[in-house]
Amino acid sequence: MQPRLLEVFFYPPMAIGRLGGSNIPLESFTWQEDPTLHGAAKTIIEPAISLEIQPDGSIRPYLPSIIHFKDQNLFRPVAPFFELWARVQNSDSSIVELPLTNKLLQELAVPLDAVSYVVEAANLKAARRTGDSTCGFSARVEVRASDSQPYPLLATSPRGVGSEPLVLPDKPIPLGHIQVIRPVDAVEMGVDLGVLRIRFTPAYGHVYGPPTATTAPAPGTRRIHEIVLEQNRILNPNSSWLNYNSDFTRYHNPDPYDTYDGADVDSPVTSDRSWGVVDDTCDGIITAFVVVGGERFRAVARFFSGPPDFAPDRRPFLTLADDLADRDLPVPALDDEQLTTSEIADLFQRVFETLSLLNLDANRSRALNENAGSTIPKTVAELPPRTDFSSMTSVDKPYADKVPDLISQPVARDHLPYSAVAASVHASLTDVEALTDFLRTFGVRVEYLLRPPYGVVAELGEQPPETPEPRHRDVRIERDRVHDMRMPPYMRDSDATALSLTRRQYNQILGFVDKLRTQVPTELALTSNQVAPVATVATPVRQHVARVIARRSESQD
């Protein structure tokens, strides 16, 4: 009796590609700890098994010895693969999930041509801002699983009544290309080459504009630069995107309202009119159809393309994965001390890695200048934590109890004193023992130094409170939206308001702090003839040292 197909799905269900002008995609790599003893468990990148598409459409797995990020000064694009998986009921009624391979199709008595894909990609930023669908552009490709030719995603704008399309049919914008992988019944380097796969390769990273997008002064410096390369000035100059501005008289401007080319131009005359420029980033959906015995199964995956990662060996403290976990997962139970300690230690490690890339001085200046446009009463703005240029100074105590002292010392001669202080303070917190001691000793300070996340609907009253809630913010209150020195300081969220940790991260830290407060330090309970117990928390540092010692012992043996 042949197996019965119950469901098909993609793995991964979502992936992010990165733009690149090279014709060769970037090899795979993973984050690892520095394996050397002096590396102190810092994050590094390590090559991983990569897949190269052959001329016949099949793939060849290999392990690169080094990672090439560029070819002739052009970035290699990050081009994710998507595997099609199946949920199958066997003859013994057992149900399993496994990759959909050529062999499994044969067992299901299904030809390869019974599998097909529809790929849709679009860039709708200009359409969202103008409210005019003809300012968006999209592409659609349909392909059979037996067709392994690459197909470009050539995007154009729809026609509308009373408005002209931004991207004309004879001058499409390439959003990348897709290619179905030819399955081969073989396994190499642990990779099953018979799995049904499809790959999305992002576009080059170009910008496009109308014929008028020639040169302009850059905001701030007034340096004249070329807006769009001449060969890319292909957009319709009669599109409504060229009349867009952010003065809120004609459009409902989404935040952040100033993230388009033409905003904040101050020379020779002040203007915020759009230059009509777009780029070739996109969001997309891959839909797979599998027809078995007259029944059609459907699987969906999503992809996005963004700019290259300028620091791939540094991990951000707030990611899409953290946002998804915040939405779907509960706060981890605090009874698993090792898991909680490990997760919080990893978060503070990522905070340090993010800080190593951040110019806190520039961010502080930008954020406080943005605050200057707020309508917060002076009596409120002057309360700590300060929202004016006294933020993170000696005036801003008790929040800034350490920064003014550190900046008054030799580090004050640093060109970026706030960045230097932040790196100095957080470097010690990458050691989990020091972090635990800090949280135990300064728990009260941690509680008010962390910026609360926005409250969910169930936590908010019909009217915003007069006094801010201590453990969540209200987006309707302007003071809750502006910047101050609470952690993470002076960074913007997706709506250009003050960034916070996710609710899950925030509650996990405060829950851990509350638990530490209730614990009596073990060493304080010891008498003079007692021996301190071996620490039970296998911290990352201890794990790292143990692995190094084990390797050295093995090499000596």
Side-chain angles (χ1 to χ4, degrees):
M1 181 179 175
Q2 69 184 38
R4 187 165 73 92
L5 184 63
L6 301 177
E7 180 186 5
V8 291
F9 59 93
F10 275 110
Y11 183 80
M14 179 189 299
I16 299 174
R18 295 191 178 276
L19 306 169
S22 172
N23 292 323
I24 304 174
L26 185 66
E27 296 97 344
S28 296
F29 60 85
T30 59
W31 284 317
Q32 297 290 345
E33 291 177 4
D34 189 331
T36 63
L37 188 58
H38 65 271
K42 294 293 188 297
T43 299
I44 60 171
I45 56 175
E46 184 176 273
I49 291 180
S50 304
L51 305 178
E52 180 184 42
I53 299 182
Q54 302 301 291
D56 66 354
S58 62
I59 53 171
R60 179 185 71 87
Y62 69 103
L63 182 62
S65 56
I66 59 175
I67 302 171
H68 296 275
F69 288 98
K70 288 183 178 179
D71 295 307
Q72 298 180 343
N73 210 32
L74 296 175
F75 281 102
R76 290 187 170 186
V78 174
F81 288 90
F82 296 86
E83 295 181 354
L84 198 55
W85 281 54
R87 190 163 172 261
V88 175
Q89 184 173 38
N90 294 314
S91 56
D92 61 358
S93 298
S94 62
I95 296 176
V96 295
E97 293 181 351
L98 68 174
L100 186 57
T101 61
N102 214 15
K103 182 180 178 183
L104 179 56
L105 285 178
Q106 293 170 7
E107 293 177 8
L108 294 168
V110 175
L112 187 57
D113 260 350
V115 181
S116 61
Y117 302 93
V118 175
V119 182
E120 299 166 291
N123 182 324
L124 304 179
K125 176 179 177 178
R128 175 172 177 255
R129 285 188 172 274
T130 59
D132 183 352
S133 62
T134 64
C135 294
F137 47 101
S138 61
R140 175 188 170 94
V141 169
E142 297 184 22
V143 60
R144 294 281 179 184
S146 57
D147 183 353
S148 297
Q149 296 298 313
Y151 286 94
L153 294 163
L154 301 177
T156 59
S157 298
R159 294 191 175 278
V161 178
S163 60
E164 296 194 22
L166 176 66
V167 185
L168 299 169
D170 59 337
K171 298 175 181 176
I173 292 179
L175 296 180
H177 67 268
I178 57 101
Q179 184 172 7
V180 173
I181 306 303
R182 186 171 75 85
V184 176
D185 293 334
V187 176
E188 291 184 13
M189 300 185 71
V191 178
D192 189 340
L193 308 185
V195 177
L196 271 61
R197 296 180 173 91
I198 185 170
R199 185 181 213 182
F200 164 65
T201 302
Y204 301 114
H206 288 175
V207 293
Y208 299 83
T212 53
T214 54
T215 60
T221 65
R222 298 187 176 183
R223 183 179 300 168
I224 300 298
H225 70 284
E226 186 175 35
I227 302 173
V228 173
L229 296 175
E230 183 176 1
Q231 62 268 29
N232 288 348
R233 298 172 196 156
I234 59 173
L235 302 185
N236 186 350
N238 298 318
S239 168
S240 60
W241 179 226
L242 278 73
N243 294 318
Y244 177 81
N245 62 25
S246 59
D247 64 5
F248 293 91
T249 59
R250 291 187 300 164
Y251 299 101
H252 176 66
N253 305 103
D255 282 325
Y257 66 88
D258 58 351
T259 54
Y260 65 94
D261 290 298
D264 299 330
V265 174
D266 56 3
S267 176
V269 294
T270 300
S271 171
D272 59 358
R273 184 172 169 179
S274 167
W275 293 339
V277 173
V278 296
D279 58 41
D280 55 7
T281 58
C282 69
D283 297 349
I285 296 175
I286 302 175
T287 306
F289 298 100
V290 182
V291 179
V292 180
E295 186 175 3
R296 191 171 74 161
F297 296 86
R298 177 173 175 268
V300 175
R302 295 180 182 275
F303 61 84
F304 317 93
S305 64
D309 187 344
F310 72 99
D313 62 342
R314 294 291 180 271
R315 301 173 303 155
F317 64 83
L318 190 56
T319 67
L320 179 60
D322 290 314
D323 272 337
L324 293 174
D326 189 47
R327 188 182 67 174
D328 292 336
L329 301 179
V331 176
L334 297 175
D335 52 357
D336 190 337
E337 184 175 346
Q338 184 158 315
L339 175 63
T340 302
T341 305
S342 176
E343 287 196 2
I344 293 178
D346 180 72
L347 173 60
F348 275 80
Q349 176 75 39
R350 289 191 281 152
V351 168
F352 175 71
E353 292 176 19
T354 304
L355 273 173
S356 69
L357 306 172
L358 181 69
N359 184 334
L360 183 60
D361 297 71
N363 259 29
R364 174 179 176 274
S365 178
R366 174 200 49 76
L368 298 180
N369 274 312
E370 288 180 1
N371 286 355
S374 71
T375 58
I376 300 174
K378 187 177 180 180
T379 52
V380 175
E382 291 182 347
L383 293 174
R386 300 286 291 256
T387 60
D388 55 16
F389 273 87
S390 298
S391 177
M392 206 180 276
T393 69
S394 58
V395 179
D396 205 11
K397 289 186 176 181
Y399 289 86
D401 70 333
K402 183 176 292 187
V403 176
D405 295 337
L406 290 175
I407 288 181
S408 66
Q409 293 177 7
V411 75
R413 290 192 291 272
D414 197 300
H415 294 298
L416 301 173
Y418 285 102
S419 303
V421 167
S424 172
V425 171
H426 278 274
S428 63
L429 300 183
T430 59
D431 179 90
V432 69
E433 285 84 3
L435 172 64
T436 305
D437 288 342
F438 174 79
L439 295 177
R440 179 185 291 116
T441 307
F442 300 102
V444 174
R445 175 170 168 75
V446 170
E447 185 170 346
Y448 68 72
L449 206 53
L450 278 179
R451 177 177 295 107
Y454 285 118
V456 296
V457 173
E459 293 175 325
L460 303 179
E462 185 174 343
Q463 298 297 327
E466 295 183 1
T467 305
E469 296 289 342
R471 290 210 171 185
H472 68 255
R473 292 182 291 156
D474 190 324
V475 74
R476 298 168 295 182
I477 301 175
E478 186 174 17
R479 177 61 188 86
D480 280 354
R481 302 196 303 269
V482 300
H483 300 277
D484 54 48
M485 69 157 289
R486 287 178 295 177
M487 305 292 120
Y490 314 122
M491 300 177 75
R492 302 205 305 186
D493 62 17
S494 59
D495 290 329
T497 69
L499 179 70
S500 72
L501 299 177
T502 68
R503 291 170 51 79
R504 188 172 183 273
Q505 291 171 326
Y506 178 80
N507 290 327
Q508 187 180 25
I509 291 176
L510 294 193
F512 189 55
V513 167
D514 289 341
K515 183 173 182 179
L516 290 175
R517 285 175 184 163
T518 64
Q519 294 177 340
V520 177
T522 305
E523 59 270 23
L524 297 181
L526 297 177
T527 61
S528 58
N529 59 348
Q530 286 181 310
V531 177
V534 176
T536 57
V537 178
T539 67
V541 173
R542 287 188 181 128
Q543 294 172 20
H544 174 71
V545 171
R547 285 194 293 271
V548 172
I549 293 174
R551 282 200 303 271
R552 291 172 65 87
S553 299
E554 291 173 0
S555 63
Q556 289 173 355
D557 293 343

